[in-house]
Amino acid sequence: MELVEIRWTEGIDGFNEVYQVRRKVFIGEQNVPEELKSDENDPIARHITIFDKNKPIAIGRLFEKIICFTQAGYEDLPMCGYACIWDNTN
């Protein structure tokens, strides 16, 4: 039986694991420039990290409220961003 763990962190606490998955997926697999995978929103976000056998394999970044432009104008809305899963079976 495999052990899967889900860990929530605030801001940059535990960010090494978050960035490790982002780096493998966005930079390693999708060739996104490294400077685009971390920004000024990371310190104010909540991050979810999913671990498989103590290795981070999936992440997500969430905000309780962030200013977004909608058809009604600017609103404070919840938002999810930078979600990805790393396929480490290769």
Side-chain angles (χ1 to χ4, degrees), residues 65-76:
K65 290 186 177 183
I66 192 165
I67 297 174
C68 297
F69 184 74
T70 68
Q71 290 179 338
Y74 287 97
E75 299 181 45
D76 284 341

Side-chain angles (χ1 to χ4, degrees), residues 23-90:
R23 182 174 185 74
K24 289 174 182 171
V25 173
F26 295 123
I27 298 167
E29 295 178 4
Q30 297 178 2
N31 298 315
V32 173
E34 186 167 359
E35 61 272 9
L36 298 179
K37 286 298 109 208
S38 185
D39 60 28
E40 68 279 358
N41 291 314
D42 284 321
I44 62 169
R46 293 186 79 200
H47 296 91
I48 184 170
T49 307
I50 300 173
F51 294 82
D52 182 19
K53 298 178 186 172
N54 295 318
K55 293 182 182 177
I57 60 164
I59 59 96
R61 180 170 83 167
L62 297 103
F63 300 94
E64 286 187 38
K65 290 186 177 183
I66 192 165
I67 297 174
C68 297
F69 184 74
T70 68
Q71 290 179 338
Y74 287 97
E75 299 181 45
D76 284 341
L77 299 171
M79 185 179 114
C80 176
Y82 282 143
C84 64
I85 300 171
W86 175 51
D87 178 7
N88 63 354
T89 59
N90 301 354

